[in-house]
Amino acid sequence: MGNNRISKLRKVVLDRGLDAMLITSGINRRYLSGFTGSSGYVLITGDESYLLTDFRYMTQASEQTKGLKVVQHGPKFIDTVRELLPKGGEVRLGFEQDDVSYGAYASYAEALKPSELVPVSQMVEKLRMFKDEDELAVMRRAADLADDTFRHILNVIKPGMTERDVDLEMEFYMRSHGATSSSFDTIVASGERSSMPHGVASQKVIQNNEFVTFDFGALLDGYCSDITRTIALGSPDPKLKEIYDIVLEAQLYALEHIKPGMTGKECDALSRDIIARYGYGEQFGHSLGHGLGMEVHEWPRLSKLSDDVLQPGMVVTVEPGIYVPGLGGVRIEDDVVVTETGVERLTHSSKDYTVL
């Protein structure tokens, strides 16, 4: 797997007029090399590619890494980088500006004189936007596990449990069915708290006659899922059912109409226009969705500001919502892969109005 991704990256590096590229981001390192340890660096030059790691990981790195030379770096990894750079003094070395702190940059620049450090943004992330068949197979399993977890929790949740109790049950289910962890802090937001788009599970006791929003996902074999469903307990305020129907209409319409070639802002407008038409435009305060993969928020972005163009092979979330302080809120979210003609859903949990 390393080789194809490395050769794509090398082409971009050379096209940018760089002599070499240093990858410090752990996620990007794993993407390029397959190495899952907690510490390491990838260095790409015109004709070589290296995975640098320390003594603790030499055995693991040799087993996991495909298509890169594994090098044990010295006490300061940057000194080993300098030794591996093409000889002849001044080199233009790209680095990941979104990952490197100012302090780290200063020490790299000092150690690599007279070479020039060139800040680069999103170089590997732009490759990661396109999922190959192997990646999609893992993402389908991560999505299936989220669906299974939702089915499970509907059989467990009842008034009297705290949101934290529900979160813990979901976490245990995911991990006992193969997940490394949840892909982010699980949101279980009941009653008035469902009006908080990021109401991470609290000690609040879940009551009858409330809405509950679940937003969660599984991190499985390096890839994330991310699903949201909103359900009713007992008989909540009829206004909430009205909001539910609007959000569902907006979400289904977007799923029906998102196509390759559209920009993020055009996708966002599909749901936003419907919600605004019902008079809740001000209550939909976040974007329609985001890219999904090894991280839970990746490129592209489906937002009012996004000119990212959707293309086949990208995986994105579609998650409109309406939030009314003092009453509650609704969000409904699926993960989809963009195809030649539209989108294919990865998450399949029912979106029928569910009353427990």
Side-chain angles (χ1 to χ4, degrees), residues 154-286:
L154 289 185
N155 292 320
V156 174
I157 189 172
K158 51 183 188 292
M161 293 176 77
T162 66
E163 294 170 349
R164 291 277 321 257
D165 295 335
V166 173
D167 165 33
L168 193 60
E169 180 65 36
M170 293 166 73
E171 180 86 22
F172 185 78
Y173 186 91
M174 288 189 272
R175 292 185 63 165
S176 57
H177 288 80
T180 306
S181 66
S182 49
S183 37
F184 52 93
D185 288 343
T186 294
I187 293 168
V188 180
S190 60
E192 290 186 14
R193 288 190 80 251
S194 64
S195 72
M196 297 161 60
H198 270 220
V200 170
S202 75
Q203 294 294 0
K204 177 186 175 295
V205 176
I206 297 167
Q207 313 283 344
N208 214 2
N209 307 327
E210 289 188 332
F211 264 27
V212 184
T213 295
F214 306 88
D215 182 352
F216 65 98
L219 174 60
L220 183 70
D221 293 340
Y223 287 82
C224 297
S225 51
D226 181 4
I227 182 175
T228 307
R229 291 292 185 269
T230 304
I231 63 151
L233 296 173
S235 28
D237 189 317
K239 191 105 189 120
L240 286 166
K241 169 72 164 71
E242 183 187 306
I243 291 170
Y244 187 95
D245 292 340
I246 296 167
V247 172
L248 182 57
E249 180 184 333
Q251 205 250 2
L252 293 173
Y253 186 82
L255 291 176
E256 194 62 40
H257 292 87
I258 291 174
K259 290 186 176 49
M262 290 175 74
T263 63
K265 62 168 77 121
E266 287 171 332
C267 296
D268 180 87
L270 293 170
S271 286
R272 194 168 300 282
D273 291 350
I274 291 175
I275 289 173
R277 197 164 68 234
Y278 283 104
Y280 287 103
E282 295 294 303
Q283 280 73 49
F284 176 22
H286 57 78

Side-chain angles (χ1 to χ4, degrees), residues 332-348:
I332 302 172
E333 171 185 27
D334 286 307
D335 304 337
V336 302
V337 56
V338 181
T339 65
E340 298 296 333
T341 54
V343 300
E344 176 208 327
R345 273 171 59 191
L346 303 180
T347 42
H348 300 287

